[in-house]
Amino acid sequence: MALQTSPLSAAQVMGVESSHVVALSNEGEHYLEQSTLNAFLDMQQAAKSDGIDLQICSSFRSFDRQLSIWNRKWAGELPILDKHSRPINTNSLNDHEKIHAIMHWSALPGASRHHWGTDFDVYDKRSVVLSNHKFELIPSEYAQGGPCYKLNKWLEVHATKFGFDRPYEVYTGGVAREPWHYSFSKSAASVIQNFALDSLRVELNKSQILGKQTILELLPSLFNQYTLNLGKA
Ligand SMILES: [Zn+2]
């Protein structure tokens, strides 16, 4: 797929279509939009020169993949975790509370920044392998003493030079703090500017999402609080 210079279509932004992303390598494990991919490869090379094995552990995700995660959590097939990563007893929650509990860790289908191809999660692969530690993608792994600490420090100094920022750098009442989540600022800003909440409403309405009625009622504030991480409405 060639470099797309026009804004993404609503279907692309919601991960319903994937024509805006290209494979990072021949293995086809990770997909990003082209300008994000180019900037990532430059940053990865610079990290390598400094002895850091910067790799992606999660990149583009489709609407259907996110929907499957959502519905399994809603139905109790996957645990919903609290802010300390302990499973919540969902019998005590009403639909409104359940939505917020899921969204602390998992995005609403169609409203994940991972649909955009501009956002991805990183780790220091070699350091994780050498640490002989079961990697869980949790903040302590990026803090002092963790296998991704050196990477985290390196990114804090260098990532902005390559055009990246961290939308979930601090917890503001939306998504949990995610030091590993990076976004290609320029491309993401264009997605945000063109985001059509009405298209998302239509897509969710025709989907098989569990909790639909309450989700649709809360949609604008969910988008602000979690996708944009602007804190509670
Ligand atoms: Zn992420």
Side-chain angles (χ1 to χ4, degrees), residues 74-90:
W74 191 277
E77 293 162 23
L78 284 178
I80 300 176
L81 303 179
D82 69 10
K83 293 182 172 59
H84 308 286
S85 302
R86 293 174 305 221
I88 297 174
N89 176 5
T90 53

Side-chain angles (χ1 to χ4, degrees), residues 57-59 61 105 112-114 119-122 137 167-168 175 178 180-182:
C57 50
S58 183
S59 51
R61 252 177 258 149
W105 295 111
S112 169
R113 299 182 64 109
H114 281 275
D119 284 48
F120 52 85
D121 304 330
V122 294
L137 199 65
Y168 304 127
V175 174
E178 295 190 346
W180 51 80
H181 185 115
Y182 277 84

Side-chain angles (χ1 to χ4, degrees), residues 70 99 108 209-219 222:
W70 181 278
I99 288 167
L108 186 66
I209 193 163
L210 300 175
K212 189 187 284 183
Q213 206 50 48
T214 315
I215 291 167
L216 293 177
E217 281 163 24
L218 299 174
L219 196 55
L222 294 177

Side-chain angles (χ1 to χ4, degrees), residues 88-152:
I88 297 174
N89 176 5
T90 53
N91 294 334
S92 60
L93 304 182
N94 63 33
D95 282 6
H96 187 128
E97 291 164 335
K98 209 159 150 180
I99 288 167
H100 285 285
I102 294 176
M103 289 187 74
H104 186 68
W105 295 111
S106 297
L108 186 66
S112 169
R113 299 182 64 109
H114 281 275
H115 296 323
W116 305 350
T118 59
D119 284 48
F120 52 85
D121 304 330
V122 294
Y123 72 130
D124 184 331
K125 187 174 182 181
R126 191 181 52 224
S127 176
V128 165
V129 170
L130 287 175
S131 75
N132 242 339
H133 144 110
K134 185 182 169 291
F135 187 61
E136 296 178 280
L137 199 65
I138 53 176
S140 61
E141 293 164 328
Y142 294 75
Q144 198 151 18
C148 299
Y149 179 64
K150 200 173 145 200
L151 166 70
N152 196 21

Side-chain angles (χ1 to χ4, degrees), residues 3-200:
L3 182 59
Q4 176 166 351
T5 49
S6 57
L8 301 187
S9 70
Q12 289 173 325
V13 168
M14 295 185 292
V16 172
E17 249 196 45
S18 60
S19 50
H20 57 303
V21 291
V22 288
L24 185 64
S25 70
N26 291 337
E27 287 137 53
E29 199 183 346
H30 294 297
Y31 292 79
L32 294 171
E33 63 99 24
Q34 187 72 62
S35 54
T36 304
L37 186 144
N38 295 345
F40 173 75
L41 291 176
D42 288 345
M43 183 163 75
Q44 187 180 46
Q45 194 56 46
K48 193 178 174 189
S49 308
D50 288 340
I52 292 163
D53 187 19
L54 168 61
Q55 300 289 346
I56 288 181
C57 50
S58 183
S59 51
F60 171 78
R61 252 177 258 149
S62 70
F63 181 96
D64 283 343
R65 167 105 189 276
Q66 203 67 33
L67 179 64
S68 158
I69 295 170
W70 181 278
N71 280 351
R72 280 184 288 155
K73 288 200 171 183
W74 191 277
E77 293 162 23
L78 284 178
I80 300 176
L81 303 179
D82 69 10
K83 293 182 172 59
H84 308 286
S85 302
R86 293 174 305 221
I88 297 174
N89 176 5
T90 53
N91 294 334
S92 60
L93 304 182
N94 63 33
D95 282 6
H96 187 128
E97 291 164 335
K98 209 159 150 180
I99 288 167
H100 285 285
I102 294 176
M103 289 187 74
H104 186 68
W105 295 111
S106 297
L108 186 66
S112 169
R113 299 182 64 109
H114 281 275
H115 296 323
W116 305 350
T118 59
D119 284 48
F120 52 85
D121 304 330
V122 294
Y123 72 130
D124 184 331
K125 187 174 182 181
R126 191 181 52 224
S127 176
V128 165
V129 170
L130 287 175
S131 75
N132 242 339
H133 144 110
K134 185 182 169 291
F135 187 61
E136 296 178 280
L137 199 65
I138 53 176
S140 61
E141 293 164 328
Y142 294 75
Q144 198 151 18
C148 299
Y149 179 64
K150 200 173 145 200
L151 166 70
N152 196 21
K153 283 288 166 204
W154 189 90
L155 287 168
E156 277 173 9
V157 175
H158 299 284
T160 52
K161 284 190 284 193
F162 295 92
F164 294 101
D165 68 79
R166 292 192 294 186
Y168 304 127
E169 186 167 11
V170 288
Y171 176 63
T172 62
V175 174
R177 189 171 77 81
E178 295 190 346
W180 51 80
H181 185 115
Y182 277 84
S183 180
F184 191 52
S185 320
K186 203 169 105 219
S187 298
S190 154
V191 174
I192 292 164
Q193 210 176 358
N194 294 294
F195 197 95
L197 214 49
D198 284 341
S199 303
L200 178 57

